Amino acid sequence: MKPAARKELFARLAAANPHPTTELAYSTPFELLVAVVLSAQATDKGVNKATAQLFPVANTPEAILALGEDGLKEYVKTIGLFNSKARNIIALCRLLLEQHGGQVPENREALEALPGVGRKTANVVLNTAFGHPTIAVDTHIFRVANRTGLAPGKTVLEVEKKLEATVPKEYKKDAHHWLILHGRYICVARKPKCEVCPVSDLCDWYGASASVA
């Protein structure tokens, strides 16, 4: 995709949704961190249902540690991979208290050192909790970036690096959310909703499929 088309794509997504944000429910950086760890291979809706029960009872590292691993599992057992996620959350709570005064660190290296936190989770937290212009590439963004021609790449990291290098500066902080929502609701995996897509005329895949038709 050419720079002018790329800028137009984000301008249209911004016009349609000027203040995008995550669909995970949270009120503090710590709640967001826990929610993102729980969201791996799970839906935001399912995570929100679990954290709506958990956070009123325990929404700090100290409170979750007080629950213990088995106690935490009772709240998150409806979420896929809940055993390993509960184990990681207990361990990361301990590290937050031991190394960061119970606060979520605002840098990638420290975040990625926490159990259950990889590059994607760190990017989400840095972007959503702290306003950094990071782009967390999940399956939705990977699909949209490749399908549209916005930032094609064979790996998640390659797509992330291309997006970081090419997304216009004024759109970089919110690009992550716009692309996730676009992939989640319009540029879906099996039958993309091109007929209602606000950027279909800029899309490589739509242009190619239209010319074939």
mmCIF file with all atom_site columns, all heavy atoms in Angstrom, residues 169-195:
data_model
loop_
_atom_site.group_PDB
_atom_site.id
_atom_site.type_symbol
_atom_site.label_atom_id
_atom_site.label_alt_id
_atom_site.label_comp_id
_atom_site.label_asym_id
_atom_site.label_entity_id
_atom_site.label_seq_id
_atom_site.pdbx_PDB_ins_code
_atom_site.Cartn_x
_atom_site.Cartn_y
_atom_site.Cartn_z
_atom_site.occupancy
_atom_site.B_iso_or_equiv
_atom_site.pdbx_formal_charge
_atom_site.auth_seq_id
_atom_site.auth_comp_id
_atom_site.auth_asym_id
_atom_site.auth_atom_id
_atom_site.pdbx_PDB_model_num
ATOM 1   N N   . LYS A 1 169 ? 2.530   9.144   11.918 1.00 0.00 ? 169 LYS A N   1
ATOM 2   C CA  . LYS A 1 169 ? 2.759   9.447   13.331 1.00 0.00 ? 169 LYS A CA  1
ATOM 3   C C   . LYS A 1 169 ? 1.483   9.830   14.080 1.00 0.00 ? 169 LYS A C   1
ATOM 4   O O   . LYS A 1 169 ? 1.251   9.398   15.211 1.00 0.00 ? 169 LYS A O   1
ATOM 5   C CB  . LYS A 1 169 ? 3.787   10.572  13.447 1.00 0.00 ? 169 LYS A CB  1
ATOM 6   C CG  . LYS A 1 169 ? 4.190   10.886  14.883 1.00 0.00 ? 169 LYS A CG  1
ATOM 7   C CD  . LYS A 1 169 ? 5.259   11.978  14.928 1.00 0.00 ? 169 LYS A CD  1
ATOM 8   C CE  . LYS A 1 169 ? 5.659   12.291  16.364 1.00 0.00 ? 169 LYS A CE  1
ATOM 9   N NZ  . LYS A 1 169 ? 6.696   13.366  16.411 1.00 0.00 ? 169 LYS A NZ  1
ATOM 10  N N   . GLU A 1 170 ? 0.621   10.609  13.429 1.00 0.00 ? 170 GLU A N   1
ATOM 11  C CA  . GLU A 1 170 ? -0.576  11.099  14.112 1.00 0.00 ? 170 GLU A CA  1
ATOM 12  C C   . GLU A 1 170 ? -1.594  9.999   14.402 1.00 0.00 ? 170 GLU A C   1
ATOM 13  O O   . GLU A 1 170 ? -2.515  10.182  15.198 1.00 0.00 ? 170 GLU A O   1
ATOM 14  C CB  . GLU A 1 170 ? -1.241  12.218  13.305 1.00 0.00 ? 170 GLU A CB  1
ATOM 15  C CG  . GLU A 1 170 ? -1.783  11.803  11.948 1.00 0.00 ? 170 GLU A CG  1
ATOM 16  C CD  . GLU A 1 170 ? -0.785  12.002  10.812 1.00 0.00 ? 170 GLU A CD  1
ATOM 17  O OE1 . GLU A 1 170 ? 0.436   11.835  11.057 1.00 0.00 ? 170 GLU A OE1 1
ATOM 18  O OE2 . GLU A 1 170 ? -1.232  12.315  9.697  1.00 0.00 ? 170 GLU A OE2 1
ATOM 19  N N   . TYR A 1 171 ? -1.420  8.842   13.752 1.00 0.00 ? 171 TYR A N   1
ATOM 20  C CA  . TYR A 1 171 ? -2.359  7.734   13.950 1.00 0.00 ? 171 TYR A CA  1
ATOM 21  C C   . TYR A 1 171 ? -1.756  6.562   14.731 1.00 0.00 ? 171 TYR A C   1
ATOM 22  O O   . TYR A 1 171 ? -2.437  5.591   15.031 1.00 0.00 ? 171 TYR A O   1
ATOM 23  C CB  . TYR A 1 171 ? -2.847  7.213   12.594 1.00 0.00 ? 171 TYR A CB  1
ATOM 24  C CG  . TYR A 1 171 ? -3.599  8.241   11.782 1.00 0.00 ? 171 TYR A CG  1
ATOM 25  C CD1 . TYR A 1 171 ? -3.125  8.640   10.533 1.00 0.00 ? 171 TYR A CD1 1
ATOM 26  C CD2 . TYR A 1 171 ? -4.762  8.820   12.253 1.00 0.00 ? 171 TYR A CD2 1
ATOM 27  C CE1 . TYR A 1 171 ? -3.813  9.597   9.781  1.00 0.00 ? 171 TYR A CE1 1
ATOM 28  C CE2 . TYR A 1 171 ? -5.455  9.775   11.514 1.00 0.00 ? 171 TYR A CE2 1
ATOM 29  C CZ  . TYR A 1 171 ? -4.967  10.155  10.277 1.00 0.00 ? 171 TYR A CZ  1
ATOM 30  O OH  . TYR A 1 171 ? -5.657  11.092  9.555  1.00 0.00 ? 171 TYR A OH  1
ATOM 31  N N   . LYS A 1 172 ? -0.476  6.671   15.064 1.00 0.00 ? 172 LYS A N   1
ATOM 32  C CA  . LYS A 1 172 ? 0.233   5.501   15.609 1.00 0.00 ? 172 LYS A CA  1
ATOM 33  C C   . LYS A 1 172 ? -0.298  5.045   16.971 1.00 0.00 ? 172 LYS A C   1
ATOM 34  O O   . LYS A 1 172 ? -0.423  3.848   17.230 1.00 0.00 ? 172 LYS A O   1
ATOM 35  C CB  . LYS A 1 172 ? 1.731   5.792   15.690 1.00 0.00 ? 172 LYS A CB  1
ATOM 36  C CG  . LYS A 1 172 ? 2.569   4.537   15.881 1.00 0.00 ? 172 LYS A CG  1
ATOM 37  C CD  . LYS A 1 172 ? 4.046   4.796   15.599 1.00 0.00 ? 172 LYS A CD  1
ATOM 38  C CE  . LYS A 1 172 ? 4.294   4.894   14.111 1.00 0.00 ? 172 LYS A CE  1
ATOM 39  N NZ  . LYS A 1 172 ? 5.735   5.023   13.804 1.00 0.00 ? 172 LYS A NZ  1
ATOM 40  N N   . LYS A 1 173 ? -0.654  5.986   17.835 1.00 0.00 ? 173 LYS A N   1
ATOM 41  C CA  . LYS A 1 173 ? -1.086  5.581   19.180 1.00 0.00 ? 173 LYS A CA  1
ATOM 42  C C   . LYS A 1 173 ? -2.381  4.768   19.148 1.00 0.00 ? 173 LYS A C   1
ATOM 43  O O   . LYS A 1 173 ? -2.559  3.845   19.931 1.00 0.00 ? 173 LYS A O   1
ATOM 44  C CB  . LYS A 1 173 ? -1.271  6.808   20.084 1.00 0.00 ? 173 LYS A CB  1
ATOM 45  C CG  . LYS A 1 173 ? -1.575  6.434   21.541 1.00 0.00 ? 173 LYS A CG  1
ATOM 46  C CD  . LYS A 1 173 ? -1.626  7.659   22.444 1.00 0.00 ? 173 LYS A CD  1
ATOM 47  C CE  . LYS A 1 173 ? -2.944  8.374   22.329 1.00 0.00 ? 173 LYS A CE  1
ATOM 48  N NZ  . LYS A 1 173 ? -4.075  7.588   22.917 1.00 0.00 ? 173 LYS A NZ  1
ATOM 49  N N   . ASP A 1 174 ? -3.269  5.085   18.232 1.00 0.00 ? 174 ASP A N   1
ATOM 50  C CA  . ASP A 1 174 ? -4.565  4.397   18.177 1.00 0.00 ? 174 ASP A CA  1
ATOM 51  C C   . ASP A 1 174 ? -4.649  3.329   17.096 1.00 0.00 ? 174 ASP A C   1
ATOM 52  O O   . ASP A 1 174 ? -5.676  2.644   16.974 1.00 0.00 ? 174 ASP A O   1
ATOM 53  C CB  . ASP A 1 174 ? -5.690  5.413   17.968 1.00 0.00 ? 174 ASP A CB  1
ATOM 54  C CG  . ASP A 1 174 ? -5.891  6.316   19.185 1.00 0.00 ? 174 ASP A CG  1
ATOM 55  O OD1 . ASP A 1 174 ? -5.736  5.818   20.314 1.00 0.00 ? 174 ASP A OD1 1
ATOM 56  O OD2 . ASP A 1 174 ? -6.194  7.504   18.999 1.00 0.00 ? 174 ASP A OD2 1
ATOM 57  N N   . ALA A 1 175 ? -3.597  3.182   16.295 1.00 0.00 ? 175 ALA A N   1
ATOM 58  C CA  . ALA A 1 175 ? -3.629  2.235   15.168 1.00 0.00 ? 175 ALA A CA  1
ATOM 59  C C   . ALA A 1 175 ? -3.953  0.815   15.625 1.00 0.00 ? 175 ALA A C   1
ATOM 60  O O   . ALA A 1 175 ? -4.729  0.095   14.983 1.00 0.00 ? 175 ALA A O   1
ATOM 61  C CB  . ALA A 1 175 ? -2.286  2.256   14.434 1.00 0.00 ? 175 ALA A CB  1
ATOM 62  N N   . HIS A 1 176 ? -3.373  0.429   16.742 1.00 0.00 ? 176 HIS A N   1
ATOM 63  C CA  . HIS A 1 176 ? -3.589  -0.904  17.308 1.00 0.00 ? 176 HIS A CA  1
ATOM 64  C C   . HIS A 1 176 ? -5.082  -1.198  17.487 1.00 0.00 ? 176 HIS A C   1
ATOM 65  O O   . HIS A 1 176 ? -5.585  -2.232  17.067 1.00 0.00 ? 176 HIS A O   1
ATOM 66  C CB  . HIS A 1 176 ? -2.831  -0.962  18.642 1.00 0.00 ? 176 HIS A CB  1
ATOM 67  C CG  . HIS A 1 176 ? -3.249  -2.018  19.584 1.00 0.00 ? 176 HIS A CG  1
ATOM 68  N ND1 . HIS A 1 176 ? -2.801  -3.305  19.493 1.00 0.00 ? 176 HIS A ND1 1
ATOM 69  C CD2 . HIS A 1 176 ? -4.079  -1.979  20.659 1.00 0.00 ? 176 HIS A CD2 1
ATOM 70  C CE1 . HIS A 1 176 ? -3.337  -4.019  20.468 1.00 0.00 ? 176 HIS A CE1 1
ATOM 71  N NE2 . HIS A 1 176 ? -4.117  -3.241  21.180 1.00 0.00 ? 176 HIS A NE2 1
ATOM 72  N N   . HIS A 1 177 ? -5.799  -0.258  18.079 1.00 0.00 ? 177 HIS A N   1
ATOM 73  C CA  . HIS A 1 177 ? -7.221  -0.473  18.353 1.00 0.00 ? 177 HIS A CA  1
ATOM 74  C C   . HIS A 1 177 ? -8.061  -0.441  17.079 1.00 0.00 ? 177 HIS A C   1
ATOM 75  O O   . HIS A 1 177 ? -8.958  -1.266  16.896 1.00 0.00 ? 177 HIS A O   1
ATOM 76  C CB  . HIS A 1 177 ? -7.729  0.581   19.339 1.00 0.00 ? 177 HIS A CB  1
ATOM 77  C CG  . HIS A 1 177 ? -7.056  0.517   20.671 1.00 0.00 ? 177 HIS A CG  1
ATOM 78  N ND1 . HIS A 1 177 ? -7.114  -0.594  21.484 1.00 0.00 ? 177 HIS A ND1 1
ATOM 79  C CD2 . HIS A 1 177 ? -6.301  1.427   21.328 1.00 0.00 ? 177 HIS A CD2 1
ATOM 80  C CE1 . HIS A 1 177 ? -6.429  -0.366  22.586 1.00 0.00 ? 177 HIS A CE1 1
ATOM 81  N NE2 . HIS A 1 177 ? -5.925  0.841   22.516 1.00 0.00 ? 177 HIS A NE2 1
ATOM 82  N N   . TRP A 1 178 ? -7.772  0.506   16.202 1.00 0.00 ? 178 TRP A N   1
ATOM 83  C CA  . TRP A 1 178 ? -8.536  0.567   14.947 1.00 0.00 ? 178 TRP A CA  1
ATOM 84  C C   . TRP A 1 178 ? -8.407  -0.727  14.156 1.00 0.00 ? 178 TRP A C   1
ATOM 85  O O   . TRP A 1 178 ? -9.395  -1.250  13.642 1.00 0.00 ? 178 TRP A O   1
ATOM 86  C CB  . TRP A 1 178 ? -8.052  1.732   14.091 1.00 0.00 ? 178 TRP A CB  1
ATOM 87  C CG  . TRP A 1 178 ? -8.526  3.077   14.537 1.00 0.00 ? 178 TRP A CG  1
ATOM 88  C CD1 . TRP A 1 178 ? -9.783  3.415   14.978 1.00 0.00 ? 178 TRP A CD1 1
ATOM 89  C CD2 . TRP A 1 178 ? -7.756  4.276   14.597 1.00 0.00 ? 178 TRP A CD2 1
ATOM 90  N NE1 . TRP A 1 178 ? -9.833  4.743   15.301 1.00 0.00 ? 178 TRP A NE1 1
ATOM 91  C CE2 . TRP A 1 178 ? -8.609  5.302   15.081 1.00 0.00 ? 178 TRP A CE2 1
ATOM 92  C CE3 . TRP A 1 178 ? -6.440  4.598   14.280 1.00 0.00 ? 178 TRP A CE3 1
ATOM 93  C CZ2 . TRP A 1 178 ? -8.177  6.601   15.256 1.00 0.00 ? 178 TRP A CZ2 1
ATOM 94  C CZ3 . TRP A 1 178 ? -6.013  5.895   14.461 1.00 0.00 ? 178 TRP A CZ3 1
ATOM 95  C CH2 . TRP A 1 178 ? -6.866  6.882   14.940 1.00 0.00 ? 178 TRP A CH2 1
ATOM 96  N N   . LEU A 1 179 ? -7.195  -1.247  14.055 1.00 0.00 ? 179 LEU A N   1
ATOM 97  C CA  . LEU A 1 179 ? -6.978  -2.445  13.243 1.00 0.00 ? 179 LEU A CA  1
ATOM 98  C C   . LEU A 1 179 ? -7.586  -3.686  13.883 1.00 0.00 ? 179 LEU A C   1
ATOM 99  O O   . LEU A 1 179 ? -8.133  -4.547  13.185 1.00 0.00 ? 179 LEU A O   1
ATOM 100 C CB  . LEU A 1 179 ? -5.475  -2.644  12.989 1.00 0.00 ? 179 LEU A CB  1
ATOM 101 C CG  . LEU A 1 179 ? -4.813  -1.559  12.137 1.00 0.00 ? 179 LEU A CG  1
ATOM 102 C CD1 . LEU A 1 179 ? -3.310  -1.802  12.035 1.00 0.00 ? 179 LEU A CD1 1
ATOM 103 C CD2 . LEU A 1 179 ? -5.441  -1.494  10.745 1.00 0.00 ? 179 LEU A CD2 1
ATOM 104 N N   . ILE A 1 180 ? -7.505  -3.799  15.209 1.00 0.00 ? 180 ILE A N   1
ATOM 105 C CA  . ILE A 1 180 ? -8.134  -4.935  15.887 1.00 0.00 ? 180 ILE A CA  1
ATOM 106 C C   . ILE A 1 180 ? -9.650  -4.913  15.676 1.00 0.00 ? 180 ILE A C   1
ATOM 107 O O   . ILE A 1 180 ? -10.255 -5.924  15.314 1.00 0.00 ? 180 ILE A O   1
ATOM 108 C CB  . ILE A 1 180 ? -7.822  -4.924  17.399 1.00 0.00 ? 180 ILE A CB  1
ATOM 109 C CG1 . ILE A 1 180 ? -6.427  -5.467  17.664 1.00 0.00 ? 180 ILE A CG1 1
ATOM 110 C CG2 . ILE A 1 180 ? -8.838  -5.766  18.172 1.00 0.00 ? 180 ILE A CG2 1
ATOM 111 C CD1 . ILE A 1 180 ? -6.046  -5.526  19.129 1.00 0.00 ? 180 ILE A CD1 1
ATOM 112 N N   . LEU A 1 181 ? -10.260 -3.770  15.888 1.00 0.00 ? 181 LEU A N   1
ATOM 113 C CA  . LEU A 1 181 ? -11.712 -3.670  15.747 1.00 0.00 ? 181 LEU A CA  1
ATOM 114 C C   . LEU A 1 181 ? -12.132 -3.908  14.300 1.00 0.00 ? 181 LEU A C   1
ATOM 115 O O   . LEU A 1 181 ? -13.154 -4.552  14.037 1.00 0.00 ? 181 LEU A O   1
ATOM 116 C CB  . LEU A 1 181 ? -12.190 -2.302  16.231 1.00 0.00 ? 181 LEU A CB  1
ATOM 117 C CG  . LEU A 1 181 ? -12.008 -2.041  17.733 1.00 0.00 ? 181 LEU A CG  1
ATOM 118 C CD1 . LEU A 1 181 ? -12.287 -0.584  18.068 1.00 0.00 ? 181 LEU A CD1 1
ATOM 119 C CD2 . LEU A 1 181 ? -12.913 -2.963  18.557 1.00 0.00 ? 181 LEU A CD2 1
ATOM 120 N N   . HIS A 1 182 ? -11.338 -3.411  13.359 1.00 0.00 ? 182 HIS A N   1
ATOM 121 C CA  . HIS A 1 182 ? -11.645 -3.631  11.940 1.00 0.00 ? 182 HIS A CA  1
ATOM 122 C C   . HIS A 1 182 ? -11.589 -5.125  11.601 1.00 0.00 ? 182 HIS A C   1
ATOM 123 O O   . HIS A 1 182 ? -12.461 -5.649  10.908 1.00 0.00 ? 182 HIS A O   1
ATOM 124 C CB  . HIS A 1 182 ? -10.655 -2.854  11.068 1.00 0.00 ? 182 HIS A CB  1
ATOM 125 C CG  . HIS A 1 182 ? -11.026 -2.833  9.625  1.00 0.00 ? 182 HIS A CG  1
ATOM 126 N ND1 . HIS A 1 182 ? -12.152 -2.197  9.158  1.00 0.00 ? 182 HIS A ND1 1
ATOM 127 C CD2 . HIS A 1 182 ? -10.428 -3.393  8.538  1.00 0.00 ? 182 HIS A CD2 1
ATOM 128 C CE1 . HIS A 1 182 ? -12.229 -2.356  7.843  1.00 0.00 ? 182 HIS A CE1 1
ATOM 129 N NE2 . HIS A 1 182 ? -11.189 -3.076  7.445  1.00 0.00 ? 182 HIS A NE2 1
ATOM 130 N N   . GLY A 1 183 ? -10.569 -5.803  12.138 1.00 0.00 ? 183 GLY A N   1
ATOM 131 C CA  . GLY A 1 183 ? -10.443 -7.239  11.891 1.00 0.00 ? 183 GLY A CA  1
ATOM 132 C C   . GLY A 1 183 ? -11.480 -8.065  12.627 1.00 0.00 ? 183 GLY A C   1
ATOM 133 O O   . GLY A 1 183 ? -11.906 -9.119  12.145 1.00 0.00 ? 183 GLY A O   1
ATOM 134 N N   . ARG A 1 184 ? -11.890 -7.586  13.780 1.00 0.00 ? 184 ARG A N   1
ATOM 135 C CA  . ARG A 1 184 ? -12.850 -8.326  14.598 1.00 0.00 ? 184 ARG A CA  1
ATOM 136 C C   . ARG A 1 184 ? -14.271 -8.244  14.031 1.00 0.00 ? 184 ARG A C   1
ATOM 137 O O   . ARG A 1 184 ? -15.036 -9.209  14.112 1.00 0.00 ? 184 ARG A O   1
ATOM 138 C CB  . ARG A 1 184 ? -12.814 -7.784  16.023 1.00 0.00 ? 184 ARG A CB  1
ATOM 139 C CG  . ARG A 1 184 ? -13.687 -8.538  17.012 1.00 0.00 ? 184 ARG A CG  1
ATOM 140 C CD  . ARG A 1 184 ? -13.445 -8.027  18.431 1.00 0.00 ? 184 ARG A CD  1
ATOM 141 N NE  . ARG A 1 184 ? -12.149 -8.464  18.930 1.00 0.00 ? 184 ARG A NE  1
ATOM 142 C CZ  . ARG A 1 184 ? -11.542 -7.955  19.998 1.00 0.00 ? 184 ARG A CZ  1
ATOM 143 N NH1 . ARG A 1 184 ? -12.108 -6.962  20.666 1.00 0.00 ? 184 ARG A NH1 1
ATOM 144 N NH2 . ARG A 1 184 ? -10.379 -8.411  20.400 1.00 0.00 ? 184 ARG A NH2 1
ATOM 145 N N   . TYR A 1 185 ? -14.619 -7.098  13.438 1.00 0.00 ? 185 TYR A N   1
ATOM 146 C CA  . TYR A 1 185 ? -16.021 -6.889  13.050 1.00 0.00 ? 185 TYR A CA  1
ATOM 147 C C   . TYR A 1 185 ? -16.272 -6.732  11.548 1.00 0.00 ? 185 TYR A C   1
ATOM 148 O O   . TYR A 1 185 ? -17.388 -6.949  11.092 1.00 0.00 ? 185 TYR A O   1
ATOM 149 C CB  . TYR A 1 185 ? -16.578 -5.662  13.780 1.00 0.00 ? 185 TYR A CB  1
ATOM 150 C CG  . TYR A 1 185 ? -16.615 -5.861  15.273 1.00 0.00 ? 185 TYR A CG  1
ATOM 151 C CD1 . TYR A 1 185 ? -15.770 -5.151  16.112 1.00 0.00 ? 185 TYR A CD1 1
ATOM 152 C CD2 . TYR A 1 185 ? -17.472 -6.805  15.839 1.00 0.00 ? 185 TYR A CD2 1
ATOM 153 C CE1 . TYR A 1 185 ? -15.798 -5.353  17.490 1.00 0.00 ? 185 TYR A CE1 1
ATOM 154 C CE2 . TYR A 1 185 ? -17.493 -7.019  17.205 1.00 0.00 ? 185 TYR A CE2 1
ATOM 155 C CZ  . TYR A 1 185 ? -16.657 -6.290  18.026 1.00 0.00 ? 185 TYR A CZ  1
ATOM 156 O OH  . TYR A 1 185 ? -16.675 -6.515  19.388 1.00 0.00 ? 185 TYR A OH  1
ATOM 157 N N   . ILE A 1 186 ? -15.262 -6.356  10.778 1.00 0.00 ? 186 ILE A N   1
ATOM 158 C CA  . ILE A 1 186 ? -15.479 -6.160  9.343  1.00 0.00 ? 186 ILE A CA  1
ATOM 159 C C   . ILE A 1 186 ? -14.573 -7.051  8.501  1.00 0.00 ? 186 ILE A C   1
ATOM 160 O O   . ILE A 1 186 ? -15.061 -7.845  7.683  1.00 0.00 ? 186 ILE A O   1
ATOM 161 C CB  . ILE A 1 186 ? -15.274 -4.667  8.968  1.00 0.00 ? 186 ILE A CB  1
ATOM 162 C CG1 . ILE A 1 186 ? -16.366 -3.818  9.634  1.00 0.00 ? 186 ILE A CG1 1
ATOM 163 C CG2 . ILE A 1 186 ? -15.334 -4.481  7.440  1.00 0.00 ? 186 ILE A CG2 1
ATOM 164 C CD1 . ILE A 1 186 ? -16.241 -2.340  9.399  1.00 0.00 ? 186 ILE A CD1 1
ATOM 165 N N   . CYS A 1 187 ? -13.280 -6.941  8.687  1.00 0.00 ? 187 CYS A N   1
ATOM 166 C CA  . CYS A 1 187 ? -12.347 -7.751  7.892  1.00 0.00 ? 187 CYS A CA  1
ATOM 167 C C   . CYS A 1 187 ? -12.131 -9.099  8.580  1.00 0.00 ? 187 CYS A C   1
ATOM 168 O O   . CYS A 1 187 ? -11.020 -9.476  8.960  1.00 0.00 ? 187 CYS A O   1
ATOM 169 C CB  . CYS A 1 187 ? -11.027 -6.999  7.734  1.00 0.00 ? 187 CYS A CB  1
ATOM 170 S SG  . CYS A 1 187 ? -9.958  -7.666  6.446  1.00 0.00 ? 187 CYS A SG  1
ATOM 171 N N   . VAL A 1 188 ? -13.239 -9.822  8.743  1.00 0.00 ? 188 VAL A N   1
ATOM 172 C CA  . VAL A 1 188 ? -13.215 -11.091 9.476  1.00 0.00 ? 188 VAL A CA  1
ATOM 173 C C   . VAL A 1 188 ? -12.554 -12.177 8.631  1.00 0.00 ? 188 VAL A C   1
ATOM 174 O O   . VAL A 1 188 ? -12.388 -12.030 7.418  1.00 0.00 ? 188 VAL A O   1
ATOM 175 C CB  . VAL A 1 188 ? -14.639 -11.507 9.895  1.00 0.00 ? 188 VAL A CB  1
ATOM 176 C CG1 . VAL A 1 188 ? -15.204 -10.516 10.908 1.00 0.00 ? 188 VAL A CG1 1
ATOM 177 C CG2 . VAL A 1 188 ? -15.568 -11.590 8.679  1.00 0.00 ? 188 VAL A CG2 1
ATOM 178 N N   . ALA A 1 189 ? -12.207 -13.274 9.278  1.00 0.00 ? 189 ALA A N   1
ATOM 179 C CA  . ALA A 1 189 ? -11.370 -14.278 8.630  1.00 0.00 ? 189 ALA A CA  1
ATOM 180 C C   . ALA A 1 189 ? -12.030 -14.941 7.419  1.00 0.00 ? 189 ALA A C   1
ATOM 181 O O   . ALA A 1 189 ? -11.469 -14.981 6.331  1.00 0.00 ? 189 ALA A O   1
ATOM 182 C CB  . ALA A 1 189 ? -10.951 -15.331 9.651  1.00 0.00 ? 189 ALA A CB  1
ATOM 183 N N   . ARG A 1 190 ? -13.232 -15.480 7.602  1.00 0.00 ? 190 ARG A N   1
ATOM 184 C CA  . ARG A 1 190 ? -13.806 -16.323 6.545  1.00 0.00 ? 190 ARG A CA  1
ATOM 185 C C   . ARG A 1 190 ? -14.547 -15.551 5.466  1.00 0.00 ? 190 ARG A C   1
ATOM 186 O O   . ARG A 1 190 ? -14.356 -15.797 4.284  1.00 0.00 ? 190 ARG A O   1
ATOM 187 C CB  . ARG A 1 190 ? -14.722 -17.376 7.170  1.00 0.00 ? 190 ARG A CB  1
ATOM 188 C CG  . ARG A 1 190 ? -13.950 -18.372 8.030  1.00 0.00 ? 190 ARG A CG  1
ATOM 189 C CD  . ARG A 1 190 ? -14.816 -19.545 8.450  1.00 0.00 ? 190 ARG A CD  1
ATOM 190 N NE  . ARG A 1 190 ? -14.058 -20.508 9.229  1.00 0.00 ? 190 ARG A NE  1
ATOM 191 C CZ  . ARG A 1 190 ? -14.558 -21.629 9.706  1.00 0.00 ? 190 ARG A CZ  1
ATOM 192 N NH1 . ARG A 1 190 ? -15.841 -21.924 9.500  1.00 0.00 ? 190 ARG A NH1 1
ATOM 193 N NH2 . ARG A 1 190 ? -13.814 -22.461 10.400 1.00 0.00 ? 190 ARG A NH2 1
ATOM 194 N N   . LYS A 1 191 ? -15.419 -14.644 5.880  1.00 0.00 ? 191 LYS A N   1
ATOM 195 C CA  . LYS A 1 191 ? -16.199 -13.886 4.902  1.00 0.00 ? 191 LYS A CA  1
ATOM 196 C C   . LYS A 1 191 ? -16.124 -12.393 5.238  1.00 0.00 ? 191 LYS A C   1
ATOM 197 O O   . LYS A 1 191 ? -17.026 -11.853 5.876  1.00 0.00 ? 191 LYS A O   1
ATOM 198 C CB  . LYS A 1 191 ? -17.653 -14.353 4.893  1.00 0.00 ? 191 LYS A CB  1
ATOM 199 C CG  . LYS A 1 191 ? -17.842 -15.759 4.339  1.00 0.00 ? 191 LYS A CG  1
ATOM 200 C CD  . LYS A 1 191 ? -19.326 -16.118 4.266  1.00 0.00 ? 191 LYS A CD  1
ATOM 201 C CE  . LYS A 1 191 ? -19.518 -17.515 3.668  1.00 0.00 ? 191 LYS A CE  1
ATOM 202 N NZ  . LYS A 1 191 ? -20.964 -17.882 3.604  1.00 0.00 ? 191 LYS A NZ  1
ATOM 203 N N   . PRO A 1 192 ? -15.050 -11.741 4.805  1.00 0.00 ? 192 PRO A N   1
ATOM 204 C CA  . PRO A 1 192 ? -14.910 -10.321 5.119  1.00 0.00 ? 192 PRO A CA  1
ATOM 205 C C   . PRO A 1 192 ? -16.090 -9.514  4.577  1.00 0.00 ? 192 PRO A C   1
ATOM 206 O O   . PRO A 1 192 ? -16.596 -9.791  3.488  1.00 0.00 ? 192 PRO A O   1
ATOM 207 C CB  . PRO A 1 192 ? -13.597 -9.932  4.436  1.00 0.00 ? 192 PRO A CB  1
ATOM 208 C CG  . PRO A 1 192 ? -13.345 -10.998 3.423  1.00 0.00 ? 192 PRO A CG  1
ATOM 209 C CD  . PRO A 1 192 ? -13.933 -12.254 3.978  1.00 0.00 ? 192 PRO A CD  1
ATOM 210 N N   . LYS A 1 193 ? -16.525 -8.535  5.358  1.00 0.00 ? 193 LYS A N   1
ATOM 211 C CA  . LYS A 1 193 ? -17.718 -7.755  5.005  1.00 0.00 ? 193 LYS A CA  1
ATOM 212 C C   . LYS A 1 193 ? -17.328 -6.549  4.148  1.00 0.00 ? 193 LYS A C   1
ATOM 213 O O   . LYS A 1 193 ? -17.494 -5.389  4.528  1.00 0.00 ? 193 LYS A O   1
ATOM 214 C CB  . LYS A 1 193 ? -18.426 -7.325  6.283  1.00 0.00 ? 193 LYS A CB  1
ATOM 215 C CG  . LYS A 1 193 ? -18.846 -8.521  7.144  1.00 0.00 ? 193 LYS A CG  1
ATOM 216 C CD  . LYS A 1 193 ? -19.380 -8.079  8.499  1.00 0.00 ? 193 LYS A CD  1
ATOM 217 C CE  . LYS A 1 193 ? -19.709 -9.285  9.370  1.00 0.00 ? 193 LYS A CE  1
ATOM 218 N NZ  . LYS A 1 193 ? -20.162 -8.892  10.724 1.00 0.00 ? 193 LYS A NZ  1
ATOM 219 N N   . CYS A 1 194 ? -16.825 -6.869  2.959  1.00 0.00 ? 194 CYS A N   1
ATOM 220 C CA  . CYS A 1 194 ? -16.309 -5.832  2.061  1.00 0.00 ? 194 CYS A CA  1
ATOM 221 C C   . CYS A 1 194 ? -17.384 -4.821  1.678  1.00 0.00 ? 194 CYS A C   1
ATOM 222 O O   . CYS A 1 194 ? -17.079 -3.649  1.433  1.00 0.00 ? 194 CYS A O   1
ATOM 223 C CB  . CYS A 1 194 ? -15.720 -6.473  0.810  1.00 0.00 ? 194 CYS A CB  1
ATOM 224 S SG  . CYS A 1 194 ? -14.356 -7.615  1.140  1.00 0.00 ? 194 CYS A SG  1
ATOM 225 N N   . GLU A 1 195 ? -18.639 -5.276  1.638  1.00 0.00 ? 195 GLU A N   1
ATOM 226 C CA  . GLU A 1 195 ? -19.720 -4.384  1.217  1.00 0.00 ? 195 GLU A CA  1
ATOM 227 C C   . GLU A 1 195 ? -19.962 -3.235  2.192  1.00 0.00 ? 195 GLU A C   1
ATOM 228 O O   . GLU A 1 195 ? -20.528 -2.199  1.821  1.00 0.00 ? 195 GLU A O   1
ATOM 229 C CB  . GLU A 1 195 ? -21.015 -5.189  1.012  1.00 0.00 ? 195 GLU A CB  1
ATOM 230 C CG  . GLU A 1 195 ? -21.651 -5.754  2.271  1.00 0.00 ? 195 GLU A CG  1
ATOM 231 C CD  . GLU A 1 195 ? -21.012 -7.047  2.774  1.00 0.00 ? 195 GLU A CD  1
ATOM 232 O OE1 . GLU A 1 195 ? -20.021 -7.503  2.161  1.00 0.00 ? 195 GLU A OE1 1
ATOM 233 O OE2 . GLU A 1 195 ? -21.515 -7.597  3.779  1.00 0.00 ? 195 GLU A OE2 1
#
